[in-house]
Amino acid sequence: MTSPEARRRHDQLAESIRHHEHAYYVLGRPEVSDFEFDRLEQELRELEARHPELITPDSPTQRVGGGPVEGFQPVRHGIPMMSLDNTYSPEEVRAFLIRVQKRVPDAALEWTVEPKVDGLSISLRYEEGRLACGATRGDGTTGDDVTANLRTLRSLPLRLASRDVPRILEVRGEVYLPLSGFRRLNVEREAAGEEAFANPRNAAAGSLKQLDPRITASRPLAVVTYGVGAAKDGDLPATQTGLLDWLRDLGLPVPGIVEVARTPDDVLNAIASLDQRRARFDYETDGAVVKLNDLALRELLGATAKAPRWAMAYKYPAAQAETRLRAISIQVGRTGALTPVAELEPVLLAGSTVSRATLHNEDDLRRKDTRIGDHVVIEKAGEVIPAVVRVIPERRSGAEVPFEFPKACPECGTPAVRDATGNGSGTGVVWRCPNPDCPARIRGRIEHWCSRGAMDIEGIGEVMAAQLVGAGLVRDVADLYRLKREELLGLERMGEKSADNALRGIDGSKERDLWRLLFGLGILHLGQGGAKALARAFPDLESIEQAGLEQLTAVDDIGDTIAGSIVQWFSDPVHRDLIRRLQRAGLNLQSAIYRPVDAPTAGPFSGKTLVLTGTLPTLTREQATEAIEAMGGRVASSVSRKTDYVLAGDDPGSKLEKARKLGITVLTEDEFQRLRNDPSPPLAERQSSADH
């Protein structure tokens, strides 16, 4: 295939993939099978592998998260992102509408009512129709640059569908986690032994603020857009409804429901109608946003110091229900944490029947003075997780019984210790069972080891793990690898096919990569990201076992707390024996993703760290990165005191400003190219004119 042919085919594939992504992730109407879509993506990846010069920042292949960043750089919004005045009172909404009418007495006002998506506010900067930068709201004037993470969102176009757009366009919107994705993510986290997210908003915010874009890419985030900030060299529609239609035509997701109202009664009816329908939405919405439809009138009305005068948010009260607390049970997790759970008289709440709610910890029980037999008010915190909001003491009959938090594990009877961190400090809000042989802890460790996020052993879930532990067949994860078929067939409701599937899954797990084994061991505070970071930094488990605190904390994503937990775990003779038994069972203890730190290549950037910023005249980011690495350097994504040089192109942004403040040498592309051809005199003697 000639170069022109490759480029034509690349354009065809990219355009086709963008079309199908929009149909699937935005419109919810897939036009091809998953197999056909995957085939198109694979062909594009193979084409770009043969012709790397075709790779552009807005290529569909660039959605996969890159390497971790050192921190988020500040981004100044072209137009400030203001917050909205909000209210829970219909009367205040009516007063707001009348107040606006008084400011423009001769205008026939028209209003839009849109769902208030509960997520994280963002600003998307498109330049020449391509996504150039995405930032959080921050303080309204300056936010954090989360472009690398936003690129992983399938519902967000990296290139707008039309070229007839302002040269620079700031689009305002919200990143959120769909409820279906939130539930699926929590199931996966619980199966992996990780703490479930409290609500979709926190999960979305935490996912978007990950320093490793690959973590963001693994989360099913979505985006909705509803407005525009700065716009240069181009025209905008005249109304909010026209603006939403225009954004939709550009390929951007917009609210699925927008009602137009003209009178205060119409507005309040639209708010009430939205309240009735929002239970069916696949996203959290905690209110409705009322906006003046005419954009010219908005300009005339202006804003206060905090909020626009032409919009208001009406907040819906959280869905609540009253029920009776029948009992309080205690759950014991794999780390030994004793968690109180409210056993409730079943009650309908926000479309589902609720019979249990987490009570967090002993301190929460005491603060609310929660007693068995109490009438309590519950609500779905974040519209999803049931929570006891308060008790109703005036409903007490005198028969209510204060709950005595157990000072011993309900599973094994071992005295519990009060410890928040698992470090044996004796302080904190969490009571833990310290007995590593507690049946509940063993069950939790087996479930975690077999979970999809760890060793991914099909056929062994919660029920079978309980049976294996209850029958005394398994006391730790190494015991799984000596199970016999006849032992499994002796378990309740265990057929030959199920037994064979479990044994096949166990045997297959021996080949899993080191990071899965590390995560599966259940070392306190060590999650998937940390396990992968360790596997990239160390070639095998023995190297990690022998590493000290200094070596461990030198690894990206491994801080003092995680490093201390790792050292403590490997210092336990029981754990060291477990590793030896896993080794004898034939498990892989080598890392397939290990990236050795090679001796620096001789060259003008030997051992140096560079940061790229702006658009270089002749080099793509990939080409510049390859050239820097060929000259012995490494490329970082953000400027810090560890940065040696900044290579700056056009429109360099805040990275250049920070480099100057830190006194870091800045190179133009001309200087950089001269160094490629003539690496002497020493680089340190060259000072870029861009510094002045």
Side-chain angles (χ1 to χ4, degrees), residues 449 477-478 481 521 578-587:
W449 177 267
V477 297
Y481 297 91
L521 290 173
L578 174 65
I579 297 301
R580 303 291 89 80
R581 290 166 58 216
L582 290 172
Q583 187 175 27
R584 288 196 296 271
L587 272 76

Side-chain angles (χ1 to χ4, degrees), residues 604-605 610 616-617 619 631 645-648 665-681 683 685-692:
F605 295 122
L610 285 81
L616 298 174
L619 292 175
M631 290 188 283
Y645 305 99
V646 167
L647 174 56
T665 300
V666 179
L667 298 172
T668 65
E669 187 185 327
D670 284 344
E671 291 171 320
F672 178 77
Q673 294 285 24
R674 284 200 298 272
L675 281 172
R676 296 180 71 182
N677 301 317
D678 177 19
S680 60
L683 182 62
E685 297 178 8
R686 299 173 183 251
Q687 183 70 19
S688 168
S689 59
D691 269 347
H692 304 288

Side-chain angles (χ1 to χ4, degrees), residues 284-326:
E284 272 191 341
T285 175
D286 58 353
V289 180
V290 180
K291 301 177 185 176
L292 196 59
N293 197 22
D294 190 312
L295 271 59
L297 284 178
R298 292 184 187 181
E299 289 290 326
L300 182 63
L301 288 165
T304 66
K306 295 181 179 179
R309 291 192 176 95
W310 44 265
M312 172 175 271
Y314 177 84
K315 303 291 285 291
Y316 297 119
Q320 294 186 338
E322 182 182 323
T323 186
R324 195 172 70 86
L325 178 60
R326 287 176 168 176

Side-chain angles (χ1 to χ4, degrees), residues 396-566:
R396 285 176 176 162
S397 65
E400 293 77 18
V401 180
F403 179 72
E404 285 294 325
F405 204 94
K407 299 305 183 284
C409 174
E411 285 274 350
C412 68
T414 302
V417 295
R418 192 170 170 87
D419 185 3
T421 63
N423 62 12
S425 65
T427 62
V429 297
V430 178
W431 286 94
R432 294 184 190 273
C433 170
N435 176 17
D437 296 321
C438 172
R441 295 190 63 179
I442 295 173
R443 290 196 302 269
R445 290 197 294 268
I446 299 302
E447 290 175 36
H448 175 65
W449 177 267
C450 298
S451 66
R452 184 184 304 175
M455 298 300 278
D456 194 16
I457 301 177
E458 261 191 81
I460 302 183
E462 180 181 354
V463 174
M464 188 169 178
Q467 284 188 290
L468 291 170
V469 175
L473 294 175
V474 171
R475 289 177 59 83
D476 59 33
V477 297
D479 286 343
L480 290 168
Y481 297 91
R482 61 168 183 76
L483 285 172
K484 295 179 175 56
R485 191 171 188 265
E486 54 270 24
E487 291 176 324
L488 293 181
L489 290 174
L491 298 175
E492 185 180 354
R493 297 180 182 176
M494 178 61 66
E496 292 185 359
K497 185 175 181 180
S498 296
D500 289 340
N501 286 340
L503 290 173
R504 190 158 44 246
I506 291 169
D507 190 59
S509 72
K510 294 179 181 180
E511 303 301 320
R512 302 282 187 260
D513 197 16
L514 175 62
W515 71 264
R516 287 184 172 274
L517 183 144
L518 278 170
F519 179 54
L521 290 173
I523 300 171
L524 194 65
H525 305 305
L526 182 65
Q528 272 191 0
K532 290 180 180 179
L534 288 172
R536 284 192 291 267
F538 295 94
D540 50 44
L541 189 61
E542 183 179 5
S543 302
I544 299 171
E545 183 178 350
Q546 294 175 353
L549 287 173
E550 186 175 348
Q551 287 176 280
L552 292 170
T553 53
V555 177
D556 290 340
D557 296 335
I558 303 296
D560 293 339
T561 300
I562 299 176
S565 184
I566 293 168

Side-chain angles (χ1 to χ4, degrees), residues 607-623:
K608 304 297 183 181
T609 298
L610 285 81
V611 171
L612 307 178
T613 182
T615 303
L616 298 174
T618 65
L619 292 175
T620 65
R621 288 291 180 100
E622 293 75 15
Q623 291 168 336

Side-chain angles (χ1 to χ4, degrees), residues 205-276:
S207 299
L208 192 61
K209 293 302 291 289
Q210 291 289 329
L211 291 176
D212 188 344
R214 291 166 296 193
I215 298 177
T216 306
S218 70
R219 308 271 172 85
L221 296 175
V223 64
V224 62
T225 61
Y226 46 69
V228 167
K232 296 182 180 179
D233 302 331
D235 296 325
L236 297 178
T239 62
Q240 174 69 10
T241 50
L243 182 69
L244 293 177
D245 288 341
W246 181 67
L247 291 174
R248 182 188 295 110
D249 290 342
L250 295 179
L252 289 158
V254 297
I257 295 176
V258 179
E259 296 202 23
V260 177
R262 291 179 173 79
T263 69
D265 285 343
D266 290 343
V267 170
L268 292 174
N269 288 337
I271 290 173
S273 173
L274 186 60
D275 189 20
Q276 295 297 315

